[in-house]
Amino acid sequence: MTIAAIQAALESRLNGISPAIATAWPNVAFTPAIGTPWQRVRLMINNPIDHAVSLDITEQRGLLEIILHYPLGAGAATANARAQAVATRFTPPQTLTSGGTNVEILTTPHIAGGIALDDWWAVPITVQWRSFS
């Protein structure tokens, strides 16, 4: 289990949503096009948990945060529909795999209420994940 493999598994699943929209990936230069929907992706990692008496099993847990950005003033319906598509893509239970690493999705993603953020209507979606070594 590596953080890179966990991130690759989660991002691959997100990339499978159609139609695709522009994405601001972590630590990659990105400039949104005015009036065009886009999403920002962030991988958050919690403290690992060591299991078993011999501490030979480690559970890595965290969140994948996807914040959708839609033009402000155009209503919430389109952003909400995309948020639901993202949540549906990560419906539990499922196991994602990358490079021999399994990433489990065991809870329904959380869609937060939209907020005005600069010139955008932003809708956050949070996906909880875990992986074992």
Side-chain angles (χ1 to χ4, degrees):
M1 164 187 66
T2 67
I3 297 303
I6 291 168
Q7 186 169 0
L10 292 164
E11 289 179 356
S12 176
R13 186 73 180 159
L14 179 62
N15 276 336
I17 299 173
S18 182
I21 64 173
T23 302
W25 298 108
N27 201 30
V28 175
F30 178 81
T31 302
I34 295 172
T36 302
W38 60 282
Q39 61 192 357
R40 177 175 305 284
V41 176
R42 184 169 70 148
L43 182 68
M44 294 179 276
I45 303 162
N46 293 339
N47 291 333
I49 299 172
D50 296 315
H51 293 280
V53 174
S54 60
L55 300 178
D56 61 343
I57 299 171
T58 300
E59 177 185 0
Q60 190 66 265
R61 302 167 298 129
L63 305 170
L64 180 69
E65 181 182 61
I66 303 106
I67 303 175
L68 303 177
H69 294 78
Y70 277 75
L72 191 59
T78 305
N80 289 341
R82 180 66 179 209
Q84 188 59 59
V86 171
T88 299
R89 186 82 173 143
F90 289 95
T91 298
Q94 63 177 291
T95 301
L96 312 175
T97 303
S98 176
T101 295
N102 291 329
V103 180
E104 298 176 350
I105 308 296
L106 299 176
T107 60
T108 300
H110 176 244
I111 301 171
I115 59 169
L117 183 63
D118 298 323
D119 293 329
W120 302 97
W121 182 250
V123 180
I125 304 110
T126 304
V127 178
Q128 293 183 20
W129 56 266
R130 72 179 186 180
S131 182
F132 293 90
S133 65

